[in-house]
């Protein structure tokens, strides 16, 4: 459970640590999770030129589940794949119609982690490459393809000094010409990316074709 000024979320997970995979033996872990998330939104109403913009508070309710299997046979690489579905609905303000949509997608990731301590590394590297695709056949109201790569490098250059650097790049493409929901878009801002902006306050304006760095 986590809560804050704008987000409240509850999540329940069931984990099978050693799922048997044919021809691979005890090579994978299976995780099933369900969640419920409420997020407070500040929405600006469009106005005519010369008028003062007005904002309203709204709430987005989101719930769903995720099934993921992790395979360890490609050591030191770890392969993960799964399926997720979430359904969101809002709004309660009178000038906007109630919106309800579903997002169903398949995802796959490859991860290599050589860090000595994932929480506070002094040496070692982290690499990840992931891809996610949503289709109507998977229960999604939007068709999209999304890819993301992340590299973090840590080097110990002294007893108390660590040189750390990170690189992230992602891209997505949607079909149908529809704007994707905010939770699908790449977001930035906050202490782990752009510190001059509030957390996750930056997103691509063009949600059909987007690139994140």
């Amino acid at each position: 459970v986590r809560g804050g000024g704008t987000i409240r979320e509850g999540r329940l997970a069931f984990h099978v640590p050693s799922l048997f995979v044919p021809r691979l033996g005890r090579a994978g872990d299976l995780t099933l999770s369900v969640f419920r998330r409420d997020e407070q939104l500040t929405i600006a109403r469009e106005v005519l030129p010369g008028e003062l913009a007005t904002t309203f508070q709204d709430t987005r309710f989101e719930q769903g589940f995720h099934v993921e299997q992790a395979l360890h046979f490609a050591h030191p690489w770890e392969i993960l794949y799964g399926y997720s579905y979430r359904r969101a609905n809002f709004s309660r303000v009178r000038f906007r119609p109630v919106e309800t949509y579903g997002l169903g997608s398949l995802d796959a990731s490859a991860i290599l982690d050589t860090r000595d301590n994932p929480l506070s590394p002094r040496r070692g590297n982290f690499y990840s490459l992931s891809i996610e695709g949503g289709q109507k056949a998977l229960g999604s109201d939007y068709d999209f393809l999304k890819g993301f790569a992340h590299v973090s490098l840590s080097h110990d250059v002294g007893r108390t000094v660590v040189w750390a650097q990170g690189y992230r790049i992602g891209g997505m493409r949607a079909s149908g010409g529809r704007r994707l929901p905010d939770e699908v878009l790449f977001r930035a801002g906050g202490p782990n990316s752009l510190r001059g902006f509030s957390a996750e306050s930056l997103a691509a304006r063009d949600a059909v074709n987007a690139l994140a760095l």
Side-chain angles (χ1 to χ4, degrees):
V1 177
R2 70 168 180 159
T6 59
I7 296 177
R8 296 177 298 276
E9 181 177 3
R11 185 177 295 268
L12 178 65
F14 175 74
H15 182 71
V16 181
S18 297
L19 183 69
F20 181 82
V21 180
R23 298 184 180 181
L24 297 177
R26 301 166 68 89
D29 302 341
L30 179 67
T31 303
L32 170 64
S33 62
V34 295
F35 71 92
R36 164 80 180 198
R37 175 187 173 103
D38 300 344
E39 181 177 4
Q40 299 292 326
L41 306 174
T42 300
I43 299 174
R45 183 178 184 180
E46 294 183 359
V47 296
L48 297 175
E51 294 183 2
L52 294 177
T54 56
T55 59
F56 296 85
Q57 298 298 316
D58 199 0
T59 304
R60 175 169 56 206
F61 304 94
E62 188 178 1
Q63 54 191 352
F65 67 92
H66 181 63
V67 180
E68 181 180 77
Q69 184 173 0
L71 301 178
H72 312 302
F73 65 90
H75 184 79
W77 287 89
E78 184 167 299
I79 309 299
L80 304 96
Y81 64 93
Y83 171 80
S84 63
Y85 178 82
R86 54 187 181 269
R87 191 155 192 86
N89 65 83
F90 67 99
S91 138
R92 292 184 173 180
V93 294
R94 62 181 181 274
F95 68 88
R96 300 178 68 235
V98 176
E99 300 180 35
T100 302
Y101 54 85
L103 291 171
S105 62
L106 292 174
D107 58 86
S109 302
I111 298 175
L112 174 62
D113 190 354
T114 63
R115 297 173 296 180
D116 57 344
N117 185 341
L119 298 180
S120 181
R122 294 190 59 83
R123 62 181 65 87
N125 304 324
F126 175 86
Y127 308 90
S128 71
L129 177 64
S130 61
I131 187 170
E132 180 183 5
Q135 294 287 333
K136 292 182 178 179
L138 300 173
S140 178
D141 293 330
Y142 300 86
D143 293 346
F144 66 94
L145 183 63
K146 179 179 180 180
F148 184 72
H150 178 198
V151 176
S152 293
L153 309 175
S154 301
H155 300 281
D156 189 350
V157 295
R159 298 182 59 183
T160 59
V161 178
V162 176
W163 176 266
Q165 52 189 314
Y167 305 92
R168 303 175 181 89
I169 184 170
M172 69 167 59
R173 183 174 181 84
S175 60
R178 301 177 60 189
R179 176 179 172 82
L180 293 173
D182 289 344
E183 60 264 36
V184 181
L185 303 180
F186 295 110
R187 306 192 69 87
N192 295 322
S193 55
L194 302 178
R195 300 190 178 189
F197 299 86
S198 57
E200 298 187 350
S201 62
L202 302 177
R205 294 184 179 272
D206 178 6
V208 176
N209 301 287
L211 176 66
L213 296 175

